[in-house]
Each structure stands twice: as structure tokens, then as C-alpha cells.
Amino acid sequence: MARIVQKFGGTSVATIERIKAAALKVKRERERGHQLTVAVSAMSGATDKLVELTRQASPLHDARESDVVIASGEQVTVGLMALCLQELGIPSRSFCGWQVPIRTNAAHGQARIEELVPDELERMLARGEVPVVAGFQGVTADGRITTLGRGGSDTTAVALAAALKAERCDIYTDVDGVYTSDPRIVTRARKLTRITFEEMLEMASLGAKVLQTRSVELAMNHRVRVQVLSSFAEQIGSDYPGTLLVDEDEIVEKHVVSGVTYSRDEAKITLVKVSDRPGVAAAIFGPLANANVNVDMIVQNVSEDGRATDLTFTVSRSDLDRAVALLNPLVKELGINRIRHDSNVVKVSVIGVGMRSHAGVAQRMFKALGDKGINIEVISTSEIKISILIAEEFTELALRTLHTAYGLDAN
Ligand code: ADP
Ligand code: ASP
Ligand code: MG
């Protein structure tokens, strides 16, 4: 008998039919003698609609009230899932985040789980019942509802698996595993049977939304065995049809590059002719950091005359207006000639632990893109990834080109 957490994403609970199909997967695992805990997202599209309502109510909304609204999608699906399980003869009870409780910090909209108290869930499991827990939501020390950031139900599921010491956490979604690239764009993407935690962490943070980044981090730290699989397929998690997150030494076949990702949530800012003297970078990035504007890629050119240079960096698209507003007051003080910005850009990245031991990986990327006439605007690298910024219209072409260049195409 194993203890398993099953998470069903938005498309997997999009209709009553889909919820019934998910409930059947719970039933089948249970019939194999396993103890099940279920986590669910809101119905596909529901959270987007709720976010839009909060925007209409108040453009600069109070994040605490906006969380009350956008967390509500999951309250609907936990109840419906518990009802569908009961219809199948399975004793079940729903839990909102505050009822578990899943305690978080007070960073509304982006809260982090601090503690998950599993006592009531444990009592239910001991009685052979199935708890159904709302993904994406938690509660602060002072009793306010929080949300964990978009895609946060994955993190709820992994946190449940860690707290309950589950053998496995099965993430049911609308694709049958983690692919070498987004299968909706790169039709020749291949399903990976295994991927290292480290690579998955990079892929998630560089745009592959199949798992929320924080969920991978949590799985890595708590040694949770995570599997990504499709709720549309016949098989259930115990048959191992999906992609398993594993340690590097569990991978037999090693590729230099395991995945290619993209992120459209990027905007580029160029400060034309900034004074080239000590303290300038701190004067520019300090106010951005203080306002929680995350700066990602940065390039600074060598100044020709030793007095002024251009500085280019990227921020999240949703932070662009705020960033420019924070930089405008600095124009005079830092001798900036002009602030240029462009949100028509996309970040494309190649990821692979094999990069550590192979030379020429970046060169292959630059050559392949150059041959297709794609101009690279900014480059950044780390030990196991290379990211570039290009014009958005080249996204699909760049992904497919790199996928082929690194030998990832399915036959
Ligand atoms: P859920 O609602 O189940 O959480 P998401 O939409 O959040 O589902 O995540 C699944 C989607 O992630 C897929 O439909 C797919 O388009 C996208 N995706 C992006 N990159 C990848 C990848 N490398 N492998 C698999 N899916 C990916
Ligand atoms: N419903 C939330 C969202 O759409 C959480 C999730 O789906 O994981 O982001
Ligand atoms: Mg998701």
C-alpha cells in the first residue's frame, strides 16, 4: 500500500464530465489499495475570469481582497470533486486552504507556504477516506486568504505530498508528460520519461508552465517523487506512464540539451548614454529592487569615450510601466540621454545538465539562429542554461530551429 497525492489541473476539472473522469482515477488507485489525497485547480479559465473581475473593480486593487476573489475558483472544484467521489461510493471531504490549514506568509498573490498541518488529513486517511484539498490557496497568521501565484496548485500538491510523506505526487494535466519543448508549438517535441530536478527547475522558471517553479523547488528540497501525466489517458499513475522527476544519477541516457523553452513575459529597457562611473548601476537597480521589480538579463556596453555607455536589461512585461516610471526621475541625475523600451520580445532558453561538460553548446545556438536570420538582442548564461532575447515574431521559428539543432526532434 502506498500513499499518493493526485493533483488535477484546470483542464482536468473543466467540466462535470472531466471531474467524474478524474474521480474514477482516484477510485482505480484506491482499488489497488493505495491511500489517496487529492488536490485540484479551478476549472480551466475560471481564475483568468476572476482576475479580470478584480481589475474591473479596481485597477490598482488591494492584493488581500483580490486574493479572496481569485482563490474562489478552487472552492467550487473541491466541493464538486468531493461530491463526485461520494457518488462513486468513496467517503470524501473537501478542504479550503484555511481549513487544512495551509499557512503562508502574507505576500498576497505570490505567497509562500510556511507550514501545512496534516493532522486532520491524517485522521481521514486512517479512516480510509479521501481528503480533497483546494490548490493555489493558503491562509496568513492573521486569518486572511492568500494565493500562491499562477499555477500554484502544483505547489499545493507537492506540499501535501511532503507533509504526508507520500510515496508519490502525480500531477495530472492535459499533456502526457514533460516534453523537450512545449508540444503545442514544437510538434516534433519528444516526451521525456525522466528529467532531473535541476533541469525541470530551470525549464519551469524559464517558461515551461507545465509545473510551477516553486513546486519543483519544494519537491527537490523534500525529496518528493513527482510524476507528470495526462488525465485524458487511460492509464493511472501507478502504471508509470508519465515523466518522473529524478536525481541526476538516475538518468542513464544523458543529453547535452534536454529542453528548449520560451517566455513571452519579457520587456527590454535600454538606457541610452548613461554616465560611466562607479555607483551608477546601484543607482539604477536600487529603486527597481525596492519596488519589487525583478531585473533579469543585463548587458552593459564598453563606453567609447570612458564617459557614457548604453545599459540594456529586461523586466517582466507587467512591470514595464512601473519600471519606466521609476527610472524617469533618474534621467537628469545620471545624464541618461533617452530611455527606450520594447515589449515585443521573447526569451528563448536551452537547458541541459550536459552543458557543464561540453564545449560549443552556445556556439551551436548562435549559428543555428544566425542561419535563419534571427537577430539575438541579449544573451545570458548559467551553468546549465543559455538564454537569448529575440523579437517575438520569431518565437516559433527559433524554438523549432533550436530543437532540431540540438538533435531533440522526435523521429
Ligand atoms: P494545468 O491546468 O493542468 O496545471 P497547465 O496549462 O498549467 O496545466 O500546464 C500544461 C501546459 O504546459 C501544456 O498544455 C503545455 O502546453 C504547456 N507546456 C509548456 N512547456 C511544456 C513542456 N516542456 N512539456 C509539457 N508541457 C509544456
Ligand atoms: N487556478 C490557478 C491558476 O489558474 C492555480 C492553478 O491552476 O494551478 O493559476
Ligand atoms: Mg498549471
Side-chain angles (χ1 to χ4, degrees):
M1 188 195 75
R3 197 171 254 202
I4 301 168
V5 172
Q6 292 177 308
K7 179 253 169 175
F8 296 95
T11 42
S12 308
V13 293
T15 60
I16 290 294
E17 282 64 43
R18 297 296 315 150
I19 298 177
K20 284 184 176 167
L24 273 177
K25 289 202 164 12
V26 181
K27 182 170 187 244
R28 282 168 61 197
E29 289 286 10
R30 199 162 170 269
E31 282 167 357
R32 299 223 182 151
H34 303 315
Q35 270 187 347
L36 279 310
T37 300
V38 177
V40 291
S41 296
M43 289 177 165
S44 171
T47 311
D48 286 340
K49 282 196 195 122
L50 295 167
V51 169
E52 184 48 35
L53 287 176
T54 60
R55 289 220 175 99
Q56 286 174 19
S58 159
L60 286 175
H61 45 247
D62 175 337
R64 283 163 300 188
E65 294 314 327
S66 133
D67 268 357
V68 172
V69 179
I70 69 172
S72 66
E74 274 76 6
Q75 179 162 342
V76 174
T77 46
V78 271
L80 291 173
M81 176 63 86
L83 288 171
C84 288
L85 287 168
Q86 290 174 4
E87 282 297 308
L88 293 174
I90 301 169
S92 174
R93 194 57 71 204
S94 65
F95 291 82
C96 284
W98 62 269
Q99 289 172 304
V100 174
I102 298 176
R103 296 193 209 283
T104 72
N105 63 11
H108 286 272
Q110 233 9 283
R112 287 172 78 96
I113 297 176
E114 288 179 339
E115 188 191 15
L116 192 157
V117 185
D119 303 2
E120 183 53 28
L121 307 179
E122 287 282 5
R123 282 192 282 274
M124 277 190 74
L125 291 174
R127 294 195 298 264
E129 300 168 1
V130 176
V132 182
V133 180
F136 185 51
Q137 41 169 275
V139 64
T140 60
D142 56 356
R144 304 306 308 176
I145 291 172
T146 54
T147 62
L148 310 179
R150 298 307 301 270
S153 300
D154 298 327
T155 301
T156 306
V158 174
L160 282 167
L164 294 168
K165 300 187 175 52
E167 263 82 352
R168 211 174 62 239
C169 180
D170 285 342
I171 306 280
Y172 284 91
T173 182
D174 56 1
V175 283
D176 59 357
V178 178
Y179 278 70
T180 46
S181 194
D182 188 341
R184 297 195 194 285
I185 295 189
V186 181
T187 42
R188 301 181 76 182
R190 266 188 301 121
K191 191 181 112 181
L192 299 162
T193 48
R194 285 159 180 245
I195 183 165
T196 65
F197 285 111
E198 245 183 318
E199 286 168 322
M200 191 64 238
L201 192 60
E202 288 283 3
M203 280 181 66
S205 71
L206 294 168
K209 68 167 187 163
V210 60
L211 286 177
Q212 196 198 32
T213 309
R214 181 76 191 120
S215 74
V216 185
E217 220 169 66
L218 208 61
M220 203 165 152
N221 293 341
H222 294 267
R223 321 294 327 147
V224 175
R225 211 169 161 77
V226 173
Q227 174 175 226
V228 177
L229 72 168
S230 171
S231 69
F232 292 78
E234 215 2 72
Q235 289 143 307
I236 51 170
S238 293
D239 298 327
Y240 290 105
T243 301
L244 264 186
L245 269 53
V246 297
D247 285 320
E248 208 171 321
D249 55 12
E250 286 184 71
I251 301 252
V252 190
E253 198 193 352
K254 289 201 171 74
H255 294 279
V256 177
V257 165
S258 302
V260 186
T261 63
Y262 69 99
S263 161
R264 294 189 202 272
D265 183 24
E266 310 288 328
K268 182 179 75 166
I269 298 177
T270 300
L271 306 180
V272 183
K273 299 272 175 254
V274 187
S275 301
D276 192 12
R277 54 180 162 81
V280 166
I284 292 165
F285 295 120
L288 296 178
N290 291 340
N292 276 325
V293 173
N294 228 339
V295 173
D296 180 19
M297 307 165 104
I298 304 177
V299 271
Q300 182 176 344
N301 295 337
V302 177
S303 61
E304 276 172 34
D305 55 5
R307 285 197 298 211
T309 174
D310 294 348
L311 180 71
T312 297
F313 55 91
T314 61
V315 296
S316 156
R317 223 174 261 188
S318 51
D319 284 339
L320 178 62
D321 292 346
R322 229 153 43 92
V324 172
L326 287 161
L327 293 166
N328 270 327
L330 302 176
V331 165
K332 212 162 173 199
E333 182 193 333
L334 303 178
I336 298 169
N337 188 307
R338 204 151 37 105
I339 300 179
R340 289 187 356 210
H341 53 86
D342 181 4
S343 46
N344 184 25
V345 289
V346 65
K347 181 169 71 175
V348 173
S349 311
V350 298
I351 297 121
V353 284
M355 268 182 217
R356 287 199 198 105
S357 47
H358 283 81
V361 183
Q363 171 53 20
R364 197 187 300 187
M365 182 176 200
F366 305 152
K367 169 97 177 47
L369 296 173
D371 288 348
K372 295 282 182 193
I374 301 173
N375 187 42
I376 300 173
E377 299 180 22
V378 187
I379 302 169
S380 79
T381 63
S382 77
E383 207 186 16
I384 66 162
K385 71 114 205 265
I386 307 161
S387 298
I388 50 144
L389 199 74
I390 58 171
E392 190 171 8
E393 70 236 48
F394 294 119
T395 311
E396 283 83 4
L397 180 62
L399 286 175
R400 294 192 186 121
T401 300
L402 294 173
H403 201 265
T404 306
Y406 289 104
L408 296 174
D409 286 354
N411 299 319

